[in-house]
Amino acid sequence: MEDTTSSNPQSLGFTEKLKSWLSWSWTYVCLIWLGMVLIMIYVLWSPLKLQETLTSASVFLNTLTPKFYVALTGTSSLISGLILIFEWWYFRKYGTSFIEQVSVSHLRPLLGGVESSSTTGLFSSVNGEAEPRPSVSECKVWRNPLNLFRGAEYNRYTWVTGKEPLTYYDMNLSAQDHQTFFTGDTQQLRPEDAVMQKAWRERNPQARIRAAYQAIEMNQECAAAYVLLAEEEATTITEAERLFKKALSIAGKDINLLVYIKRRLAMCARKLGRIKEAVKMMRDLMKEFPLLGMLNIHENLLEALLELQAYADVQAVLAKYDDISLPKSATICYTSALLKARAVSDKFSPEAASRRGLSTAEMNAVEAIHRAVEFNPHVPKYLLEMKSLILPPEHILKRGDSEAVAYAFFHLQHWKRAEGALNLLHCTWEGTFRIIPYPLEKGHLFYPYPGCTETADRELLPSFHEVSVYPKKELPFFILFTAGLCSFTAMLAMLTHQFPELMGVFAKAFFSTLFAPLGFLADKMESFMPSSFWHQLTRI
């Protein structure tokens, strides 16, 4: 076993050397092969009667009518147009070129190229050193702290618009969360727990509700069943609150159930306008379970305090959670920016600032906005209503479009309430991109922007929503190439149809000019080499 493991590095090293040698020699081999082909063509010019073949071909081409050339160029334009449409659709759907993807995946390794996985695994840090770059698996999806109620809110949207606001991937993640929260100990499952464990996995909402009622028939004190009914069957927040209170009265000492139910009850109170009661419930919950910070209950508290316009309390919460050692979120960064912008935005004027410069407070506000935009660059377009909002998903990807949708959905009203805050954001947010011109390689205050957000956001957000992509991708080469080819061939078809004689003269002049260098090289080779040498090669 030790011999096998010790020999692996040597075999890998030999393989890498062989690959590098092949890739280095490939260009020279191609050039030698091309030269040999040209020599063979020249040597076999007379034996194979290539001159007579070319002459007959030119005679045949001269006999073709202009309609043939119109059909040829028109067909070429049609085919390139179809390729262009497919490439554009593929780029809009998957964010990459199909032809480039196939080339990189299948042709590049055959040509001795370096695989993309080995080059994209590193990025340059601020110090210029190579650091590991976040992979797709490291783009962790988080549960949305302010996710809506399916029965009372998401289903209402479906009834009105006929569109599904949640993706199957998002709902599947929620099912896994519920199984983990409410049926964690699989060795001591009661019969009703086994029914509920199956209920969370059901794809059909009605099947989940029937399973919840079945669990209640088996045990009237099955709290998880009432949680499911509150989430999915209740059509109003008041009804959902009643079912959550019933679940809380029979939850017992199950910490996961208690935390989940109390949090949802606080959210019900917030939605029903009892905001002070909701704030008290959230504070009590955070004091009772201080170690459950990963549930981000403080984000619910921040939103409720902003609704109360208790900005001093908001600042106190930020002082605790906006720490360098704690994970950030759009709520943390943009709420901090809102507080600093609110202090100066009512008197802010771009013209006056350009004349006298920014004051210290204005500079702090601008820096806070730049910090927030660097963390999540998708949020400003929703706050400034440059993009339409949709219902937030049940799970979000930090720094992604899903997090931006969730934040703006709940916090846009707070930005509008602060006079001039949106105007200050509008004037300053794009300046962030001058600080970080290469966001995928280097960051300013945060790590470089992860390149996996677009893929994850497309899974989390519904198909009718146009996912925001950062940094903005340029059109792939093959889309531009096929667009140019389609336009050029269509123009040739039109000109050939309108001016057949003139286009014929132009084509003859073009091809004679194109093949003139080859004739010049052939004449030079005949004058340089002795005729006996070519005669001997012909005999061979």
Side-chain angles (χ1 to χ4, degrees), residues 12-314:
L12 289 175
F14 174 75
T15 305
E16 293 298 327
K17 290 181 180 179
L18 182 61
K19 283 185 177 180
S20 63
W21 183 82
L22 288 175
S23 61
W24 172 79
S25 61
W26 187 262
T27 305
Y28 300 99
V29 171
C30 291
L31 290 175
I32 294 173
W33 177 82
L34 181 61
M36 293 177 63
V37 168
L38 292 176
I39 292 175
M40 290 297 296
I41 291 175
Y42 185 81
V43 169
L44 299 176
W45 187 269
S46 298
L48 296 181
K49 300 181 180 180
L50 296 180
Q51 182 65 40
E52 291 80 355
T53 304
L54 289 176
T55 303
S56 60
S58 62
V59 171
F60 172 75
L61 293 176
N62 289 330
T63 57
L64 294 175
T65 62
K67 292 183 179 180
F68 170 80
Y69 294 103
V70 172
L72 178 65
T73 52
T75 304
S76 302
S77 177
L78 175 63
I79 294 174
S80 58
L82 293 176
I83 296 174
L84 172 63
I85 293 172
F86 174 77
E87 278 284 296
W88 178 256
W89 169 83
Y90 196 87
F91 175 73
R92 296 283 294 179
K93 187 173 180 62
Y94 299 104
T96 186
S97 166
F98 176 78
I99 299 176
E100 289 183 5
Q101 187 179 29
V102 171
S103 302
V104 171
S105 302
H106 302 286
L107 299 180
R108 192 175 182 181
L110 297 177
L111 299 177
V114 181
E115 296 182 1
S116 58
S117 60
S118 61
T119 57
T120 58
L122 298 176
F123 65 84
S124 299
S125 66
V126 178
N127 299 327
E129 300 175 353
E131 297 179 359
R133 183 172 180 171
S135 62
V136 175
S137 61
E138 292 176 340
C139 287
K140 182 179 178 181
V141 175
W142 299 73
R143 189 165 180 84
N144 184 2
L146 287 83
N147 65 306
L148 305 178
F149 295 87
R150 287 192 187 177
E153 294 174 303
Y154 286 121
N155 286 350
R156 284 175 175 269
Y157 179 83
T158 304
W159 296 337
V160 173
T161 64
K163 298 178 180 179
E164 290 290 342
L166 298 176
T167 64
Y168 175 69
Y169 175 72
D170 192 14
M171 292 189 289
N172 187 49
L173 291 176
S174 297
Q176 296 175 16
D177 293 341
H178 293 146
Q179 284 182 275
T180 304
F181 288 161
F182 308 137
T183 56
D185 190 0
T186 57
Q187 295 180 353
Q188 299 179 357
L189 282 180
R190 298 171 296 178
E192 61 271 19
D193 293 333
V195 172
M196 288 306 301
Q197 191 176 41
K198 182 180 178 182
W200 296 120
R201 293 197 302 265
E202 288 286 351
R203 187 170 183 177
N204 188 346
Q206 296 304 319
R208 291 195 292 270
I209 294 173
R210 286 194 300 268
Y213 278 114
Q214 181 184 352
I216 292 175
E217 290 177 1
M218 300 173 69
N219 183 359
Q220 292 292 328
E221 296 188 353
C222 181
Y226 286 101
V227 169
L228 190 148
L229 294 177
E231 290 285 353
E232 305 210 18
E233 189 186 37
T235 56
T236 63
I237 300 298
T238 303
E239 186 180 356
E241 184 181 37
R242 179 184 62 81
L243 290 169
F244 275 122
K245 287 182 178 179
K246 174 66 175 177
L248 181 62
S249 65
I250 59 178
K253 297 182 179 181
D254 190 327
I255 295 179
N256 290 337
L257 265 175
L258 287 173
V259 172
Y260 186 90
I261 295 172
K262 288 183 178 181
R263 180 181 193 167
R264 295 303 260 177
L265 280 172
M267 295 175 69
C268 287
R270 162 68 182 91
K271 292 175 185 292
L272 293 173
R274 306 195 307 269
I275 305 173
K276 291 184 178 180
E277 179 186 344
V279 168
K280 183 179 183 305
M281 295 173 68
M282 292 174 191
R283 289 188 186 277
D284 293 342
L285 187 59
M286 293 168 66
K287 290 179 181 178
E288 187 178 359
F289 304 101
L291 300 179
L292 296 178
M294 76 288 294
L295 298 178
N296 298 322
I297 303 175
H298 59 275
E299 296 195 9
N300 299 81
L301 179 60
L302 283 172
E303 196 280 327
L305 290 173
L306 286 172
E307 181 64 21
L308 288 175
Q309 301 185 44
Y311 297 111
D313 293 336
V314 173

Side-chain angles (χ1 to χ4, degrees), residues 220-437:
Q220 292 292 328
E221 296 188 353
C222 181
Y226 286 101
V227 169
L228 190 148
L229 294 177
E231 290 285 353
E232 305 210 18
E233 189 186 37
T235 56
T236 63
I237 300 298
T238 303
E239 186 180 356
E241 184 181 37
R242 179 184 62 81
L243 290 169
F244 275 122
K245 287 182 178 179
K246 174 66 175 177
L248 181 62
S249 65
I250 59 178
K253 297 182 179 181
D254 190 327
I255 295 179
N256 290 337
L257 265 175
L258 287 173
V259 172
Y260 186 90
I261 295 172
K262 288 183 178 181
R263 180 181 193 167
R264 295 303 260 177
L265 280 172
M267 295 175 69
C268 287
R270 162 68 182 91
K271 292 175 185 292
L272 293 173
R274 306 195 307 269
I275 305 173
K276 291 184 178 180
E277 179 186 344
V279 168
K280 183 179 183 305
M281 295 173 68
M282 292 174 191
R283 289 188 186 277
D284 293 342
L285 187 59
M286 293 168 66
K287 290 179 181 178
E288 187 178 359
F289 304 101
L291 300 179
L292 296 178
M294 76 288 294
L295 298 178
N296 298 322
I297 303 175
H298 59 275
E299 296 195 9
N300 299 81
L301 179 60
L302 283 172
E303 196 280 327
L305 290 173
L306 286 172
E307 181 64 21
L308 288 175
Q309 301 185 44
Y311 297 111
D313 293 336
V314 173
Q315 186 61 56
V317 176
L318 287 176
K320 181 177 180 181
Y321 290 96
D322 193 6
D323 186 82
I324 191 172
S325 61
L326 297 177
K328 299 294 182 292
S329 67
T331 301
I332 294 292
C333 295
Y334 277 90
T335 302
S336 177
L338 173 60
L339 293 188
K340 294 181 179 179
R342 175 180 166 273
V344 298
S345 59
D346 57 337
K347 299 178 181 178
F348 177 78
S349 171
E351 295 78 10
S354 61
R355 290 195 304 268
R356 58 173 170 78
L358 295 175
S359 64
T360 303
E362 290 173 338
M363 183 62 71
N364 291 336
V366 171
E367 289 177 354
I369 290 175
H370 287 174
R371 171 178 177 260
V373 173
E374 181 184 353
F375 182 83
N376 193 316
H378 309 283
V379 172
K381 288 188 176 181
Y382 294 108
L383 293 181
L384 298 172
E385 298 182 89
M386 300 166 65
K387 285 196 68 175
S388 58
L389 272 173
I390 60 171
L391 295 186
E394 293 183 336
H395 290 80
I396 59 173
L397 180 69
K398 289 192 175 183
R399 307 187 74 178
D401 191 34
S402 52
E403 184 191 34
V405 169
Y407 172 80
F409 184 86
F410 294 100
H411 288 263
L412 175 59
Q413 56 181 332
H414 307 315
W415 279 82
K416 286 184 175 180
R417 189 177 294 124
E419 183 182 355
L422 288 176
N423 178 47
L424 180 60
L425 177 69
H426 174 73
C427 296
T428 58
W429 73 280
E430 290 181 322
T432 311
F433 307 129
R434 292 191 290 271
I435 303 175
I436 43 173

